[in-house]
Amino acid sequence: MESINENGDLQTMAKLTSGDCFGETLIFTSKAGYPGDVVCKGTTELILFSKAEMSRLIMSNEKLFHKYATLMADKVTYLTERVRILGHKTLREKITTYLNTLSMKQGTKTITLPMSKEKLAVYLGTIRPSLVRELTNMKDEGLIDFDRKTITLLY
């Protein structure tokens, strides 16, 4: 999914794979439209539900209701984390917040990155060269050590 930010730059919001959902958080909103574009790289099959149909399905199936509620809670948690990270002004602050969050989740100071540096740059709202430059600066300052797949916090 892609969106054009306030600077006019194309920003990848998410890359979806088979079985993924999108728009699930907006089906019950009072606002019209979708705040981005869905770009398909190949043949794609979509299942569309109207608000009325989704309401009927959720109300008539307790298991579906609980799965939908869990999906919404997980999405709120994810978006809250993104806002917390992207709300920082500097790239270093964004990186540090992201790494601290991963360290807590993984229970270690040696973090295995769950995505490539290219995808991490997109997640942090920057470009790969800027991300690598800042990681290198942090390494030179003795704050972190890193290789292709891991980053070790030294603070």
Side-chain angles (χ1 to χ4, degrees), residues 120-152:
L120 178 56
V122 169
Y123 181 83
L124 296 175
T126 190
I127 57 175
R128 187 179 182 281
S130 296
L131 172 65
V132 172
R133 182 172 41 255
E134 190 60 37
L135 289 172
T136 301
N137 289 342
M138 292 171 75
K139 182 177 182 174
D140 292 346
E141 293 172 26
L143 298 171
I144 62 170
D145 192 16
F146 69 92
D147 59 31
R148 192 167 165 257
K149 296 256 186 189
T150 63
I151 296 177
T152 302

Side-chain angles (χ1 to χ4, degrees), residues 35-59:
D37 295 313
V38 178
V39 179
C40 303
K41 292 191 176 197
T43 303
T44 303
E45 187 174 327
L46 297 176
I47 300 173
L48 302 174
F49 293 96
S50 68
K51 184 187 281 190
E53 181 65 13
M54 193 66 182
S55 293
R56 188 190 67 71
L57 288 169
I58 289 172
M59 299 302 274

Side-chain angles (χ1 to χ4, degrees), residues 82-134:
R82 284 289 308 270
V83 167
R84 192 169 56 82
I85 290 167
L86 295 177
H88 290 289
K89 291 183 181 177
T90 69
L91 179 55
R92 179 170 292 203
E93 290 171 337
K94 292 174 186 179
I95 292 169
T96 302
T97 301
Y98 176 75
L99 294 178
N100 288 338
T101 301
L102 270 186
S103 178
M104 287 184 355
K105 284 180 181 177
Q106 295 180 11
T108 179
K109 287 196 169 242
T110 299
I111 302 158
T112 301
L113 292 175
M115 62 186 92
S116 68
K117 288 188 178 75
E118 181 71 36
K119 288 180 182 177
L120 178 56
V122 169
Y123 181 83
L124 296 175
T126 190
I127 57 175
R128 187 179 182 281
S130 296
L131 172 65
V132 172
R133 182 172 41 255
E134 190 60 37

Side-chain angles (χ1 to χ4, degrees), residues 2-72:
E2 299 175 337
S3 180
I4 297 176
N5 68 20
E6 60 277 353
N7 297 328
D9 299 322
L10 185 65
Q11 185 170 15
T12 301
M13 304 303 291
K15 291 190 179 186
L16 306 174
T17 59
S18 180
D20 286 346
C21 296
F22 67 92
E24 68 280 1
T25 58
L26 300 173
I27 194 164
F28 295 110
T29 185
S30 60
K31 309 243 188 291
Y34 193 77
D37 295 313
V38 178
V39 179
C40 303
K41 292 191 176 197
T43 303
T44 303
E45 187 174 327
L46 297 176
I47 300 173
L48 302 174
F49 293 96
S50 68
K51 184 187 281 190
E53 181 65 13
M54 193 66 182
S55 293
R56 188 190 67 71
L57 288 169
I58 289 172
M59 299 302 274
S60 66
N61 185 319
E62 186 175 344
K63 187 175 180 180
L64 179 60
F65 168 78
H66 286 288
K67 284 191 174 282
Y68 185 77
T70 299
L71 180 66
M72 292 302 96

